[in-house]
Amino acid sequence: MDAQKPIIALDFQDMDQLWAFLDAFDEPLNVKIGMELYYTSGSQMIAALKERGHEIFLDLKLHDIPNTVKWAMKSLAQQGVAILNVHALGGKAMMQAAVKGVNKGTADGGQRPLVLAVTQLTSTSQSQLQAEQLSQATMEDSVNHLAGLAQAAQLDGVVCSPLEAKAIKDQFGQDFMTVTPGIRLIAGQDDQKRTATPYQAALNGSDYIVVGRPITQASDPVQAYQAIKEDWQRGLQDKGQIKEEEIK
């Protein structure tokens, strides 16, 4: 998956909407398929997207007993997607089982999908963390704890908010991936609580950004995509220059 391109969250409710959206683009895209579409169209849709050259993050956030997750991940890995994920709150044993399943499902000589853990959803606020999860930890401490479990389980990285990417990189190393939703060119009032611009996300250490409604619900989705991609690439470039200066 090309890290220079944003991942577009294709959160449509049917295939007609999906293809109408994609037909406006004249290049292969990084796309995220979630529950809404996958539970409707499943593996046939994945195959059709791959035929068009799109790279796929299959965002099903598995969370079940370890054995169930293991065999589910084996099946999903056989579909040839680039990224799969689970909920870190499922625990270390479940995440270890997920990795085993993906390894079993990857054909000999094939490209193994990245396996990520969702830490805390970007829709979760500090007050919800305390009142609904009965956690007295700060959001940052909770996310870092779950990221540590994911790394110990040998996952490739985590899905987190762009505000937490830097702390995760600092604590767990630059090779531990951070994939960050909650990206907005301008912060808005919606169900995403912890957001950043593409540029800010790049400087914070995000490896990939996931963008949905700012593109899919824009009056001109292609123009919105290009603006977000340019802001993201500008951030990656400036991040690289900062690293070079630090080395000097």
Side-chain angles (χ1 to χ4, degrees):
M1 186 173 279
D2 185 355
Q4 294 287 320
K5 296 181 179 182
I7 301 172
I8 304 177
L10 300 177
D11 295 327
F12 299 110
Q13 295 182 359
D14 61 58
M15 297 297 290
D16 290 340
Q17 291 177 323
L18 171 67
W19 299 127
F21 174 83
L22 291 175
D23 285 344
F25 293 83
D26 60 2
E27 62 177 294
L29 302 170
N30 295 336
V31 299
K32 181 177 79 69
I33 297 297
M35 291 178 250
E36 289 176 88
L37 274 176
Y38 190 78
Y39 292 159
T40 299
S41 305
S43 58
Q44 291 182 342
M45 175 195 52
I46 297 297
L49 288 168
K50 288 174 59 183
E51 285 180 7
R52 292 188 176 207
H54 302 307
E55 293 280 349
I56 302 164
F57 170 12
L58 186 54
D59 177 28
L60 300 183
K61 301 183 181 73
L62 300 191
H63 187 168
D64 212 313
I65 63 172
N67 194 57
T68 296
V69 169
K70 175 182 175 180
W71 295 112
M73 291 293 272
K74 177 187 175 184
S75 177
L76 295 174
Q78 292 170 343
Q79 298 186 31
V81 300
I83 303 175
L84 293 166
N85 65 357
V86 299
H87 264 295
L89 286 168
K92 182 179 175 182
M94 187 205 75
M95 289 189 280
Q96 290 173 323
V99 173
K100 290 178 181 178
V102 167
N103 289 340
K104 285 180 176 291
T106 302
D108 291 341
Q111 182 66 42
R112 172 191 173 281
L114 297 172
V115 184
L116 307 177
V118 177
T119 53
Q120 292 288 350
L121 298 174
T122 52
S123 60
T124 301
S125 66
Q126 180 69 49
S127 61
Q128 284 177 299
L129 182 68
Q130 294 176 344
E132 297 178 12
Q133 297 184 24
L134 296 181
S135 173
Q136 297 307 307
T138 65
M139 181 64 70
E140 182 176 341
D141 286 345
S142 176
V143 168
N144 284 351
H145 172 68
L146 293 170
L149 289 179
Q151 188 177 62
Q154 298 188 323
L155 270 68
D156 298 293
V158 294
V159 179
C160 62
S161 94
L163 304 182
E164 294 135 11
K166 184 179 186 303
I168 288 172
K169 290 288 189 180
D170 289 345
Q171 185 165 347
F172 302 107
Q174 295 302 308
D175 291 336
F176 192 64
M177 297 187 64
T178 54
V179 177
T180 60
I183 302 299
R184 303 287 184 268
L185 277 176
I186 300 174
Q189 296 296 318
D190 57 28
D191 60 354
Q192 301 276 25
K193 305 299 183 186
R194 309 191 315 279
T195 65
T197 66
Y199 183 84
Q200 290 167 337
L203 294 187
N204 283 351
S206 298
D207 293 294
Y208 291 94
I209 55 172
V210 179
V211 190
R213 285 165 288 182
I215 296 174
T216 59
Q217 295 183 12
S219 57
D220 187 337
V222 175
Q223 184 181 58
Y225 171 75
Q226 293 298 335
I228 287 168
K229 183 168 71 170
E230 289 171 8
D231 198 53
W232 169 242
Q233 291 178 346
R234 182 169 63 89
L236 291 176
Q237 184 177 17
D238 287 356
K239 176 73 172 178
Q241 291 175 350
I242 291 171
K243 285 185 177 179
E244 289 179 4
E245 292 174 0
E246 289 175 348
I247 292 172
K248 292 177 183 179

